[in-house]
């Protein structure tokens, strides 16, 4: 909307920039406070075995509980956390909090439940991540093979040679590795073959119009087949309707998460739901 001529025009433009920069700075400083005042919380969305309907795990999804604005979505503050570097602090907290929660649930009788956490590409670029996870597994007692790290295609498909090294080191800890939002980035099949992955998470955008949309249906079928050929499990994201679930079951998809089963829940609500389901 920039005006190209006149003093008024350019003044308007730079005011506009200052405005959005100011807004970002304000949010950044509020986020800093939010970390200190423990306004960040994790919600947990059940991950379900598609054939048996059993809850097999949870994805930890961060929220910011602002005393004035209420729940603030990660879509809004994660980009600011990333550009300001606060993501590292938040990332450590997410790892610790989710492992602690997973271990607590185990002690409360929910055994074998996996916890998936979202790892920012910026966290993945730092080798400190290995030590953070090692330390947390040790201090919380949460089993490594129940911790799943969700990475994005963009984190993996860089030219860096150390991506593979990093993945191998993470695998050596015993954790599971998943690709989040699969199909929306630029995955190379050559890399997929090379990387020690465990799970592909089919992005919600391919699920939305199932089973009617023929191309999406074929894409999902192809992803399931590709994943199984490479030895990975497949999870469908954002499943909202029974018709979607039925189609995914028919093509051999392993698990799903989505509003059809449950929205992301507070730790307490998740626990209650998982207990009911066990009984
Ligand atoms: P994501 O990891 O792909 O998470 C899936 C998003 O889809 C979540 O949004 C979830 O609440 C939403 N969702 C799940 N099922 C359904 C459904 O059936 N219908 C619809 N319409 N939506 C569904 P959320 O919680 O707002 O998170 C958005 C994104 O923020 C996440 O996408 C992830 O990329 C990022 N994020 C969340 N928590 C963290 C975190 O702890 N660290 C980092 N780095 N990123 C995070
Ligand atoms: Mg995710
Ligand atoms: Mg996703
Ligand atoms: Mg997403």
């Amino acid at each position: 909307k920039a005006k190209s001529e006149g003093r008024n025009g350019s003044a308007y433009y730079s005011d506009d920039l200052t405005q959005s920069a100011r807004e970002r700075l304000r949010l950044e400083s509020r986020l800093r406070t939010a970390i200190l005042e423990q306004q960040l919380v994790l919600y947990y969305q059940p991950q379900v075995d598609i054939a048996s309907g059993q809850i097999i795990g949870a994805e930890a999804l961060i929220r910011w509980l602002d005393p004035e604005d209420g729940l603030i979505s990660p879509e809004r503050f994660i980009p600011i956390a990333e550009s300001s570097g606060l993501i590292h602090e938040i990332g450590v907290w997410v790892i610790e909090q989710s492992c602690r929660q997973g271990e607590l649930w185990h002690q409360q009788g929910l055994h074998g439940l996996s916890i998936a956490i979202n790892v920012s590409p910026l966290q993945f670029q730092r080798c400190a991540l290995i030590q953070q996870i090692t330390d947390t597994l040790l201090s919380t007692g949460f089993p490594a093979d129940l911790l799943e790290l969700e990475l994005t295609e963009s984190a993996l498909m860089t030219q860096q040679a150390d991506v593979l090294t990093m993945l191998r080191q993470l695998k050596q800890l015993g954790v599971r590795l998943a690709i989040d939002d699969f199909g929306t980035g630029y995955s190379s099949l050559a890399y997929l073959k090379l990387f020690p992955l465990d799970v592909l998470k089919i992005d919600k955008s391919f699920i939305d119009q199932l089973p009617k949309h023929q191309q999406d249906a074929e894409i999902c079928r192809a992803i399931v087949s590709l994943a199984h050929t490479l030895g990975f499990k497949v999870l469908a994201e954002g499943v909202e309707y029974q018709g979607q679930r039925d189609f995914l079951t028919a093509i051999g998809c392993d698990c799903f998460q989505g509003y059809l089963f449950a929205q992301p829940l507070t730790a307490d609500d998740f626990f209650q739901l998982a207990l009911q389901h066990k009984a």
Side-chain angles (χ1 to χ4, degrees):
K1 268 190 217 164
K3 290 184 185 173
S4 54
E5 48 179 25
R7 259 195 303 158
N8 282 342
S10 43
Y12 169 77
Y13 185 66
S14 81
D15 256 11
D16 216 39
L17 269 186
T18 319
Q19 177 69 26
S20 83
R22 213 182 287 132
E23 173 63 27
R24 262 187 106 76
L25 270 178
R26 204 178 67 88
L27 211 57
E28 184 186 320
S29 101
R30 279 175 60 205
L31 184 54
R32 230 173 263 283
T33 314
I35 297 171
L36 292 174
E37 313 224 312
Q38 300 178 310
Q39 293 168 3
L40 299 180
V41 279
L42 291 180
Y43 274 49
Y44 298 89
Q45 185 175 41
Q47 298 184 324
V48 178
D49 179 272
I50 213 161
S52 70
Q54 297 273 13
I55 299 177
I56 51 170
E59 178 179 2
L61 293 156
I62 199 168
R63 272 104 186 82
W64 172 2
L65 195 59
D66 186 86
E68 283 163 33
D69 290 1
L71 273 192
I72 303 177
S73 147
E75 310 270 13
R76 215 175 135 211
F77 71 85
I78 290 292
I80 290 170
E82 289 179 332
S83 64
S84 61
L86 289 171
I87 192 66
H88 297 290
E89 220 171 308
I90 292 175
V92 168
W93 178 82
V94 169
I95 297 167
E96 281 176 6
Q97 185 64 23
S98 50
C99 288
R100 213 180 294 148
Q101 186 63 69
E103 186 56 24
L104 184 66
W105 280 334
H106 172 74
Q107 284 163 13
Q108 291 174 331
L110 293 177
H111 304 302
L113 212 64
S114 62
I115 308 268
I117 60 175
N118 293 281
V119 175
S120 159
L122 293 174
Q123 285 174 274
F124 183 71
Q125 274 167 23
R126 288 204 183 168
C127 48
L129 180 65
I130 308 277
Q131 197 59 49
Q132 289 161 1
I133 292 172
T134 308
D135 292 348
T136 306
L137 292 172
L138 205 66
S139 67
T140 60
F142 191 64
D145 61 352
L146 294 180
L147 181 64
E148 187 169 298
L149 307 184
E150 295 191 3
L151 308 163
T152 61
E153 286 169 281
S154 62
L156 298 178
M157 303 303 149
T158 61
Q159 293 300 317
Q160 296 170 308
D162 16 324
V163 167
L164 188 55
T165 312
M166 187 71 170
L167 291 173
R168 284 187 176 142
Q169 282 179 311
L170 287 168
K171 273 318 290 180
Q172 267 167 16
L173 299 182
V175 301
R176 289 193 237 163
L177 302 175
I179 301 193
D180 202 355
D181 305 339
F182 184 74
T184 59
Y186 299 90
S187 284
S188 136
L189 296 182
Y191 279 117
L192 277 189
K193 182 183 74 175
L194 210 61
F195 290 162
L197 302 169
D198 301 278
V199 179
L200 296 188
K201 298 189 72 178
I202 307 179
D203 190 69
K204 179 178 182 303
S205 58
F206 298 110
I207 307 298
D208 284 339
Q209 301 182 60
L210 293 182
K212 282 243 165 63
H213 195 291
Q214 263 195 3
Q215 277 143 347
D216 285 350
E218 287 314 315
I219 288 171
C220 288
R221 205 189 290 277
I223 294 176
V224 169
S225 159
L226 172 72
H228 287 168
T229 301
L230 294 171
F232 311 150
K233 284 177 76 171
V234 190
L235 180 145
E237 291 193 279
V239 174
E240 297 182 346
Y241 304 104
Q242 187 61 40
Q244 296 170 331
R245 179 177 173 173
D246 292 341
F247 176 81
L248 291 161
T249 309
I251 64 170
C253 179
D254 303 288
C255 357
F256 79 99
Q257 56 186 100
Y259 296 173
L260 174 67
F261 190 86
Q263 297 199 1
L265 304 166
T266 62
D268 284 348
D269 288 347
F270 180 91
F271 181 68
Q272 293 306 329
L273 183 75
L275 269 192
Q276 279 171 26
H277 255 261
K278 240 183 77 180

